[in-house]
Amino acid sequence: MKTKGNQDNYERLFNKIILTYNDPKHLMYKKMSHILRYITPGDTLIDVGCGIGEFIVRIQDQFNTIVGVDISQPEIDFAKKRIGNSKKVFFIVEG
């Protein structure tokens, strides 16, 4: 059951997670920086296990279409809020 309280808790947690992606000392920052060096801009990208959409937020301007897939509805909902009304980013909950 989805409640406003649960949604607020998820958002607080996800916003804390975003901070780790931006901290150069944190492993997630290092992993993302490493992976981003090897992504070649192009037409379509599929991000399997996209979570809260951090990779998609960072690379959305480099692709014509991006599909984010994850098993967590709350994470997909949060990612959708971050992306806004983009016509080229789509999310799928699967699992």
Side-chain angles (χ1 to χ4, degrees), residues 31-48 54-66:
K31 283 182 175 180
M32 185 179 312
S33 297
H34 181 75
I35 291 169
L36 289 175
R37 280 185 257 163
Y38 295 98
I39 292 176
T40 304
D43 290 337
T44 303
L45 177 82
I46 299 174
D47 184 359
V48 177
E54 187 63 23
F55 282 108
I56 294 172
V57 167
R58 292 179 184 235
I59 62 173
Q60 64 181 325
D61 294 335
Q62 298 177 37
F63 292 88
N64 296 329
T65 305
I66 300 176

Side-chain angles (χ1 to χ4, degrees), residues 74-89:
E75 291 188 25
I76 290 290
D77 292 343
F78 188 79
K80 285 179 179 179
K81 281 178 79 174
R82 295 182 74 200
I83 298 300
N85 293 325
S86 175
K87 302 287 188 235
K88 63 182 185 175
V89 178

Side-chain angles (χ1 to χ4, degrees), residues 19-34:
L19 295 176
T20 66
Y21 285 103
N22 295 317
D23 179 358
K25 297 177 200 157
H26 198 279
L27 179 61
M28 288 307 296
Y29 176 90
K30 292 174 184 176
K31 283 182 175 180
M32 185 179 312
S33 297
H34 181 75

